Amino acid sequence: MDLDSIECVSSSDLDEDEIHHHQHPHQQLQHPHHHVLHPHLHSEFSSSNNKSRNASNNVVNGNNNNANNIVGPTAITPATSVHELLECPVCTNSMYPPIHQCHNGHTLCSTCKTRVQNRCPTCRQELGDIRCLALEKVAESLELPCKYYSLGCPEIFPYYSKLKHEATCNFRPYNCPYAGSECSVVGDIPFLVAHLRDDHKVDMHTGCTFNHRYVKSNPREVENATWMLTVFHCFGQYFCLHFEAFQLGMAPVYMAFLRFMGDENEARNYSYSLEVGANGRKLIWEGTPRSIRDSHKKVRDSHDGLIIQRNMALFFSGGDRKELKLRVTGRIWKEQQNPDAGVCIPNLCS
């Protein structure tokens, strides 16, 4: 579907405006049983021979699994010799068992062992299959802070438990929610909002009600992975409204759904409704917005939103059914707990 041929007329609070969418240690603490390596405003450790990295408090461009990309504004390079020993000289990530070494005692991680074709990157000697059991034992005695320390995570974990926590840490950066491209940018919510506005040219609206009209000159052209995105700001939070067309089995459909720019536990505090109709008929969807921790594809494939079959969409469009004219209205509200009755009551914004 050519998105340039789709007109989206959008407004907040039911005002109509024409809008066109385009596809657009260093301190080391002693413990009776463990060594605690604690950074000073730094989320991940690096050896003193690493090149200095640009400080960034909000954003990481690229792979968000690479902790070395995330640094605080006053990050320093701690001179912790124990941690330097546990740093792979090839990828500079922390090493986990099996830790390999060459005959001269140089170590590297198991992932990089295959990348260097079984040759030690330090002395170029053949690596063989020698495990560095002593270093693995040393790692067991360490406790380290989460690599997202500089982003606010206060947790400290045994060396071998750290990775499991970091995979689900609430302070880890968010992926860009824009679904129109494989965008690799990650960051916190304020950064991503600016990124969506400035780099993806996404429409921004303030208010918790909306009224969109989607127009397509040839509605029989329905392709997978066709989408549009609008960001709404209300209740001090940001929400992403997606509208797209794709094939559901053999049937072409249109789908609209809302995602919350935050974690899942926060998303549960909000609800939303979507409505489409004409000619005395209407479809209504009510649900809880999904967190942007869930990918756009995951939400779409779960069918968690308002789904409109093409024939019904053309019926709503009226006329000779040769042009798609869908009007999608909706609202967002916050669920408030009533302490006396123990039930949730909707809090609608004005």
Side-chain angles (χ1 to χ4, degrees):
M1 181 186 294
D2 183 3
L3 287 184
D4 289 337
S5 64
I6 297 184
E7 173 192 280
C8 171
V9 180
S10 170
S11 66
S12 298
D13 300 319
L14 301 180
D15 292 327
E16 301 238 0
D17 294 309
E18 295 289 329
I19 297 174
H20 294 271
H21 281 265
H22 298 284
Q23 177 74 2
H24 312 295
H26 75 267
Q27 180 181 5
Q28 182 168 335
L29 305 178
Q30 297 299 324
H31 188 278
H33 303 290
H34 299 279
H35 295 288
V36 181
L37 300 183
H38 192 61
H40 179 65
L41 294 177
H42 193 22
S43 62
E44 183 68 10
F45 300 92
S46 58
S47 65
S48 57
N49 60 0
N50 280 351
K51 295 180 180 179
S52 61
R53 301 178 177 94
N54 291 332
S56 170
N57 198 28
N58 290 329
V59 60
V60 185
N61 287 310
N63 187 352
N64 64 326
N65 292 326
N66 187 350
N68 292 330
N69 287 336
I70 305 173
V71 293
T74 57
I76 63 170
T77 303
T80 306
S81 59
V82 175
H83 184 268
E84 290 177 5
L85 290 174
L86 288 166
E87 187 179 79
C88 176
V90 179
C91 65
T92 72
N93 291 329
S94 297
M95 295 186 290
Y96 294 86
I99 298 175
H100 298 277
Q101 70 175 31
C102 72
H103 292 282
N104 293 325
H106 303 126
T107 58
L108 79 164
C109 70
S110 57
T111 301
C112 292
K113 182 174 182 288
T114 58
R115 294 169 55 189
V116 298
Q117 300 177 336
N118 206 37
R119 290 283 176 183
C120 174
T122 303
C123 66
R124 309 307 300 168
Q125 295 296 312
E126 186 175 352
L127 284 170
D129 292 311
I130 306 173
R131 289 270 296 274
C132 188
L133 299 178
L135 193 54
E136 292 178 8
K137 286 291 185 181
V138 169
E140 290 179 359
S141 69
L142 297 179
E143 290 184 345
L144 299 174
C146 172
K147 72 179 179 181
Y148 302 121
Y149 175 84
S150 69
L151 299 181
C153 183
E155 302 294 337
I156 296 176
F157 297 91
Y159 189 82
Y160 292 134
S161 302
K162 183 168 166 285
L163 283 180
K164 183 178 180 180
H165 160 79
E166 289 169 351
T168 59
C169 177
N170 289 336
F171 292 90
R172 70 193 189 277
Y174 297 89
N175 293 319
C176 173
Y178 188 75
S181 63
E182 295 298 325
C183 183
S184 60
V185 170
V186 300
D188 63 12
I189 299 304
F191 172 82
L192 289 180
V193 169
H195 166 68
L196 289 170
R197 181 192 63 232
D198 300 336
D199 298 330
H200 293 299
K201 310 303 179 184
V202 169
D203 287 327
M204 301 283 172
H205 296 278
T206 300
C208 60
T209 60
F210 45 89
N211 180 11
H212 278 221
R213 189 178 70 207
Y214 296 97
V215 179
K216 179 71 173 71
S217 58
N218 188 358
R220 299 194 178 277
E221 293 180 0
V222 177
E223 301 174 358
N224 287 320
T226 303
W227 38 66
M228 296 181 188
L229 177 66
T230 305
V231 172
F232 291 90
H233 183 227
C234 59
F235 301 109
Q237 306 289 345
Y238 290 92
F239 301 82
C240 300
L241 176 64
H242 295 263
F243 181 83
E244 63 178 81
F246 62 98
Q247 294 286 146
L248 183 59
M250 297 298 293
V253 298
Y254 299 92
M255 182 176 179
F257 57 90
L258 197 72
R259 287 201 291 166
F260 174 75
M261 295 189 70
D263 282 325
E264 181 181 0
N265 58 338
E266 296 179 86
R268 295 193 191 102
N269 295 325
Y270 302 91
S271 298
Y272 74 102
S273 65
L274 296 172
E275 180 178 315
V276 61
N279 300 322
R281 308 288 191 275
K282 68 172 60 176
L283 292 175
I284 300 175
W285 165 268
E286 284 193 5
T288 301
R290 298 280 288 271
S291 166
I292 60 172
R293 295 286 191 203
D294 289 336
S295 69
H296 163 271
K297 184 178 185 299
K298 181 178 180 179
V299 179
R300 188 191 73 181
D301 291 349
S302 67
H303 307 155
D304 192 2
L306 176 66
I307 297 179
I308 313 161
Q309 300 288 339
R310 186 176 65 185
N311 288 337
M312 182 64 72
L314 292 175
F315 175 79
F316 289 151
S317 298
D320 56 7
R321 299 165 63 93
K322 293 183 179 181
E323 185 178 47
L324 177 73
K325 294 180 180 179
L326 279 183
R327 182 177 299 280
V328 179
T329 62
R331 63 186 177 94
I332 305 166
W333 66 91
K334 184 175 183 179
E335 301 287 359
Q336 286 190 328
Q337 190 74 27
N338 185 336
D340 297 326
V343 296
C344 291
I345 56 176
N347 176 23
L348 303 179
C349 67
S350 58

